[in-house]
Amino acid sequence: MDRLSNTVRPYAWGSTTAIPALLGIAPTGEPQAEMWMGAHPGAPSRITRTTRSTAPGETELALTEAIDADPEGELGARTVARFGPRLPFLLKLLAAGAPLSLQVHPNLEQAGEGYADEESRGVPIDAPHRTYKDANHKPELICALTPFEGLCGFRRPTEAADAMEALGVDSLKPYVDLLRAHPEEAALREVLTAILGAEPAEMAETVADAAAAAERLGGAHAPYARIAHHFPGDPGVLAAMLLNYVQLQPGEALFLGAGVPHAYLDGLGVEIMANSDNVLRCGLTPKHIDVPELLRVVRFEATEPGVLRPEAAPSGEELYETPADEFALSRYTLASGAAPTELTAPTPQILLCTAGSVTVGELTLGPGESAYVPADETVEAAGPGTLFRATVAA
């Protein structure tokens, strides 16, 4: 077992205070958006290991290096057989102080096809117009630690039409008519295509008028006024009105499968995802939007947001059930004076404390601190505190 030293990513949308407050440190004034825990090559966690070579002692190394040196010992034979010699998930603390880009993730087949196509055309992996960074899909789960706002999945076209019509903006009438006149899938596809394909100057004026009206109306329209404040003139403001607005309470979660458009707006949460960088954006961003590929990947169907609450087991583990193969996330609420909880798995584990003080083996973890446990290693955890546990799905 190893204590993790993790990188905080300073994306512009990040909160300046949420992660420092959890860690109990002073904010720097800069956004602190995500803290990564795992073996993503872009920012792998670091560990300190005792060496028994000709020069014994302690050495710091990236978790990727430890896994590369002994994949089966670190990950377990089952994980390596299913996913290759790599940790298949990435765990994060995510702190949104402003809306993230409106985005969607491909399924495994789409990711493989898209990656192969761009590779065959020689598109540089770091090119700004490159869509597929790898051949993997990216299912993800966000669990709220504070009240958390987001957008998730298309709502009924008639509901979106009602919301747009209530703004009283003449230039929105064509979208309203489309949403009311077609079957569900065709309506959503045609309106999103029209929004993303509109002439930029005309769209900027429409968004400005819609934002002003949303601010005057308030209530259910208030989130769109706030989004427009961060992204004036962006067509994603109108695309956001096609989606379900969701408010999570602490402990509640959302699972985002392939093809589901979504965006996080505000709040602090624990996020876990397949270890992929594949994102197709559809607004609220200055980055490249590949409209044809986006329209191939998006699932144009109205869905309920599907808020998840953990299922409690007799062991005290509370599991967030998802269909993902790459990861499983659970939570333990460890009471003071209770018998230690034994944690073992045939796959690697990452343990994250989010409240109180949790003793894991010989380590003491405070809020925001984490540990890595190799496959088949047993550790005991004791509180008082809250501990999230990330593993590969059974």
Side-chain angles (χ1 to χ4, degrees):
M1 179 182 61
D2 305 277
R3 183 184 295 275
L4 293 179
S5 175
N6 305 307
T7 298
V8 175
R9 308 306 293 260
Y11 304 134
W13 50 262
S15 167
T16 59
T17 58
I19 289 178
L22 183 70
L23 296 173
I25 61 176
T28 64
E30 298 297 319
Q32 298 188 39
E34 297 180 346
M35 186 172 77
W36 289 18
M37 292 159 277
H40 189 287
S45 298
R46 300 192 68 80
I47 60 176
T48 299
R49 287 275 174 96
T50 300
T51 61
R52 295 178 176 82
S53 60
T54 54
E58 290 192 339
T59 183
E60 185 181 75
L61 68 162
L63 185 55
T64 46
E65 295 176 286
I67 292 171
D68 289 345
D70 184 10
E72 287 202 3
E74 299 291 339
L75 305 177
R78 188 182 73 178
T79 298
V80 173
R82 292 173 73 191
F83 302 107
R86 62 185 185 89
L87 185 67
F89 65 81
L90 176 65
L91 186 68
K92 300 179 180 180
L93 280 172
L94 183 147
L100 283 67
S101 62
L102 193 61
Q103 59 187 251
V104 68
H105 304 307
N107 63 31
L108 196 55
E109 181 180 3
Q110 292 164 339
E113 292 173 351
Y115 180 77
D117 173 65
E118 290 185 314
E119 286 288 282
S120 69
R121 291 190 284 115
V123 181
I125 198 72
D126 58 352
H129 61 284
R130 173 93 185 212
T131 298
Y132 292 98
K133 308 296 186 183
D134 53 67
N136 201 16
H137 63 167
K138 192 182 178 185
E140 65 185 41
L141 175 83
I142 184 77
C143 177
L145 294 179
T146 66
F148 195 95
E149 297 177 83
L151 304 170
C152 178
F154 289 112
R155 55 180 169 176
R156 296 289 178 190
T158 53
E159 294 177 9
D162 290 343
M164 286 187 179
E165 190 172 46
L167 296 173
V169 175
D170 287 345
S171 52
L172 290 178
K173 287 181 179 178
Y175 305 135
V176 172
D177 291 342
L178 284 171
L179 289 167
R180 296 198 191 284
H182 291 282
E184 182 176 282
E185 179 178 342
L188 294 168
R189 178 181 291 273
E190 288 192 35
V191 171
L192 185 61
T193 302
I195 288 171
L196 296 179
E199 199 279 323
E202 292 180 4
M203 175 54 66
E205 185 176 347
T206 296
V207 171
D209 291 343
E215 189 166 7
R216 286 195 306 271
L217 288 173
H221 288 84
Y224 308 107
R226 287 190 281 114
I227 292 170
H229 173 76
H230 291 283
F231 297 95
D234 192 305
V237 175
L238 300 187
M241 297 188 72
L242 302 175
L243 307 186
N244 296 295
Y245 171 68
V246 185
Q247 292 178 296
L248 300 178
Q249 296 305 310
E252 295 180 334
L254 283 175
F255 175 74
L256 289 310
V260 178
H262 61 279
Y264 303 142
L265 304 181
D266 186 73
L268 176 67
V270 175
E271 185 181 40
I272 189 168
M273 61 183 63
N275 211 345
S276 169
D277 288 323
N278 287 327
V279 174
L280 289 97
R281 295 176 176 84
C282 41
L284 310 183
T285 179
K287 295 182 179 180
H288 175 64
I289 298 177
D290 184 345
V291 176
E293 187 64 14
L294 173 70
L295 297 177
R296 184 177 83 96
V297 167
V298 171
R299 287 169 46 195
F300 287 100
E301 60 182 27
T303 57
E304 293 296 323
V307 174
L308 296 177
R309 296 172 181 84
E311 299 290 332
S315 63
E317 183 179 28
E318 298 176 296
L319 179 65
Y320 292 90
E321 294 280 359
T322 79
D325 292 329
E326 289 82 358
F327 61 78
L329 184 72
S330 58
R331 182 181 67 177
Y332 290 85
T333 302
L334 304 169
S336 178
T341 297
E342 185 176 285
L343 302 176
T344 187
T347 75
Q349 306 176 68
I350 292 180
L351 307 176
L352 168 66
C353 175
T354 58
S357 177
V358 177
T359 301
V360 180
E362 298 180 354
L363 301 179
T364 299
L365 303 179
E369 295 182 330
S370 56
Y372 163 76
V373 184
D376 296 315
E377 183 174 317
T378 299
V379 296
E380 290 188 336
T386 302
L387 189 71
F388 280 83
R389 179 194 197 204
T391 63
V392 180

